Amino acid sequence: MTVFERRITAAAEDIDGLGHVNNAIWVRWIQDMATAHWEAIAPEAHREAYVWVVVRHEIDYLRAVTAGETVTGRTWVGEAPKGARFDRHVEFVGDDRKARVRAKTTWAIIDKAAGRPIRVPDEVAAPFLA
């Protein structure tokens, strides 16, 4: 399993009326983590041939994050794909190592040329499962 990490600092525009990172921002960060992982690991030919779309988000909001606070995002693919779908795990932890948000998202692969979902090719999945 290849774990991808990235540090993110909450900006003032990420904060909602309750003074913490808005839930919609967490969804964006989850998607940004997945995209960054794909771009860092997948060969250029795969990035050109395929695109991923979210089909499900399951998110647990555990602790608030405020403006200026930095979290470490970690993402990984835990299991082999099922047909066109891949489950991705994402966790954001603070500098105190306590989890702020945990998520499991399901993504489907789309063949850009055909414009439709396909079974995840073994060679696409392999670098993420190594």
Side-chain angles (χ1 to χ4, degrees):
M1 153 178 80
T2 303
V3 177
F4 177 81
E5 290 190 359
R6 181 181 198 175
R7 304 259 304 155
I8 299 171
T9 301
E13 59 270 15
D14 298 329
I15 306 304
D16 64 17
L18 296 174
H20 55 69
V21 172
N22 184 278
N23 290 6
I25 300 301
W26 286 110
V27 171
R28 187 182 81 216
W29 288 355
I30 289 165
Q31 291 183 186
D32 289 350
M33 289 292 299
T35 300
H37 189 202
W38 168 249
E39 290 174 354
I41 301 293
E44 184 177 348
H46 293 174
R47 294 191 315 268
E48 290 176 3
Y50 310 112
V51 65
W52 293 89
V53 296
V54 173
V55 296
R56 178 179 170 83
H57 284 301
E58 185 177 326
I59 305 171
D60 293 315
Y61 300 98
L62 305 169
R63 289 179 181 78
V65 170
T66 58
E69 189 175 349
T70 300
V71 293
T72 299
R74 295 185 183 105
T75 187
W76 64 95
V77 175
E79 303 85 32
K82 296 176 182 95
R85 295 179 179 206
F86 232 140
D87 285 338
R88 173 177 290 282
H89 303 270
V90 183
E91 179 179 63
F92 294 93
V93 298
D95 289 338
D96 61 1
R97 298 184 188 252
K98 291 182 181 178
R100 302 306 197 261
V101 166
R102 286 191 185 113
K104 179 179 169 185
T105 62
T106 303
W107 294 76
I109 192 168
I110 306 292
D111 181 294
K112 288 181 182 179
R116 62 178 180 78
I118 60 165
R119 179 175 294 281
V120 178
D122 290 341
E123 64 272 12
V124 171
F128 296 91
L129 298 171

